[in-house]
Amino acid sequence: MTIRRLPETIVNRIAAGEVIERPASAVKELVENAVDAGARQIDIVLREGGRTLIAVTDDGCGMNADELSLAVERHATSKLPDDDLTHIATLGFRGEALPSIGSVSRLSIASRPSGADGWEIRIEGGTVTPPQPAGLTGGTRVEVRDLFFATPARLKFLKAERTEMDHAVNAVQRLAMAHPEVAFSIGDGERTRFECTVGGELAGPEDARLRRLAAVMGREFADNALAINAEREGVRLSGHAGLPTLNRNTTKHQYLFVNGRPVTDRLLTGAVRGAYQDFLARGRHPLVALFVDIDPQLVDVNVHPAKAEVRFRDPGVVRGLIVGGLRHGLAEAGHRASTTVSSAALGAFT
């Protein structure tokens, strides 16, 4: 069999299989783009769990016609100005999301920079239509219609509409927790599933973060959370950890972030488990939202197409920081009980 170069449309569909696993993956990539564009308000609408429509609207910096044309090409990005993969300061950087989404759906992107005209570009199954003038007040609106129509086999692997919506909401909530300076909303056009605003009389960044954590994890967590602040060898740990008396039977409510990026990392989850092992019964798990800030040169975020994993140059330092920071916070709390448990105990005597 003769070796040949694959057509660009097939290459993009292969890439889409790695990057766009389900509607929630597309939502995550598009919302990350909006955050990187400096948006302060991001609104997401999904219909049929994202199968028929994903619409993401933001008030970010916007793109002109030339930038729109480049944005839908593979490996075209504004986020690596120095071509330096060792110093990534944005959520996105691979330049794969938009062409991947466009190769398996009917994609339209309308955008307007401040003080300029609006433009719209369309892609259908990988075929690009040149930009056309579009009416838009500002920012960017991305619409993804008929996701996976060009790769129908992938549709068979999608779950029920409600399940796909839940995954999308979870992806937005994770980004909302990491970026309390941005307002988010997600729904189906008729009912809002999650919404968080910015503003109010806040004393500082920590209060803003705790308010955002409460919007995602519930008021109960905010009322029973310990502030965590620790530093070791230039690596900083912050966030909030629930008291041991406030626990669950799964790790669902454990959120971990590295330089503002939501990640899933065995090292980090193992560190949380180790910190609480003397405080919780087997099979019970704490509620935590922890933020690791580290020199970008000391962490590799380019190890997974969906950017969901990271690799630390010195994992021992990071693990030790998390275990030590959590244990110190728990020790300072002493025998304090959560308000939930305290209220339940008082109720038993009335």
Side-chain angles (χ1 to χ4, degrees), residues 88-148:
I88 296 171
T90 53
L91 294 172
F93 60 90
R94 297 171 68 98
E96 290 183 320
L98 293 179
S100 294
I101 295 171
S103 70
V104 296
S105 70
R106 296 180 173 92
L107 172 69
S108 67
I109 309 171
S111 194
R112 181 178 180 178
S114 177
D117 295 329
W119 292 85
E120 182 178 29
I121 194 168
R122 294 178 178 270
I123 313 175
E124 183 168 334
T127 302
V128 181
T129 300
Q132 300 291 329
L136 197 71
T137 57
T140 301
R141 178 177 174 82
V142 181
E143 290 189 359
V144 181
R145 295 185 182 273
D146 302 324
L147 185 64
F148 300 132

Side-chain angles (χ1 to χ4, degrees), residues 187-244:
D188 59 10
E190 297 179 358
R191 184 170 71 95
T192 300
R193 285 288 306 273
F194 171 72
E195 184 175 22
C196 55
T197 59
V198 177
E201 297 300 323
L202 302 176
E206 188 170 302
D207 289 332
R209 176 180 283 176
L210 185 57
R211 182 186 179 197
R212 182 58 57 87
L213 297 183
V216 176
M217 302 175 71
R219 188 73 253 170
E220 183 184 33
F221 173 77
D223 291 340
N224 300 286
L226 307 169
I228 303 297
N229 286 287
E231 189 168 343
R232 177 182 295 185
E233 297 183 29
V235 183
R236 183 171 181 267
L237 175 70
S238 61
H240 289 80
L243 290 163

Side-chain angles (χ1 to χ4, degrees), residues 164-303:
E164 295 299 339
M165 174 63 90
D166 287 343
H167 282 290
V169 170
N170 182 261
V172 172
Q173 288 178 332
R174 287 176 179 270
L175 287 165
M177 295 167 76
H179 299 278
E181 75 283 2
V182 183
F184 295 83
S185 74
I186 179 170
D188 59 10
E190 297 179 358
R191 184 170 71 95
T192 300
R193 285 288 306 273
F194 171 72
E195 184 175 22
C196 55
T197 59
V198 177
E201 297 300 323
L202 302 176
E206 188 170 302
D207 289 332
R209 176 180 283 176
L210 185 57
R211 182 186 179 197
R212 182 58 57 87
L213 297 183
V216 176
M217 302 175 71
R219 188 73 253 170
E220 183 184 33
F221 173 77
D223 291 340
N224 300 286
L226 307 169
I228 303 297
N229 286 287
E231 189 168 343
R232 177 182 295 185
E233 297 183 29
V235 183
R236 183 171 181 267
L237 175 70
S238 61
H240 289 80
L243 290 163
T245 41
L246 180 66
N247 56 73
R248 299 290 185 266
N249 60 0
T250 72
T251 58
K252 178 182 177 182
H253 296 289
Q254 293 183 4
Y255 299 95
L256 305 167
F257 306 84
V258 176
N259 291 348
R261 183 188 306 279
V263 299
T264 302
D265 188 277
R266 291 183 179 180
L267 173 106
L268 300 181
T269 53
V272 172
R273 184 170 58 250
Y276 276 86
Q277 66 180 359
D278 295 333
F279 300 90
L280 287 176
R282 190 178 185 85
R284 306 302 297 181
H285 304 277
L287 284 67
V288 301
L290 299 176
F291 301 81
V292 175
D293 291 300
I294 185 172
D295 186 334
Q297 296 188 28
L298 301 180
V299 58
D300 185 2
V301 300
N302 188 31
V303 296

Side-chain angles (χ1 to χ4, degrees), residues 225-229 241-244 274-279 322-337:
L226 307 169
I228 303 297
N229 286 287
L243 290 163
Y276 276 86
Q277 66 180 359
D278 295 333
F279 300 90
I322 293 174
V323 173
L326 287 174
R327 285 184 173 173
H328 178 75
L330 292 169
E332 282 197 336
H335 297 291
R336 175 186 161 199

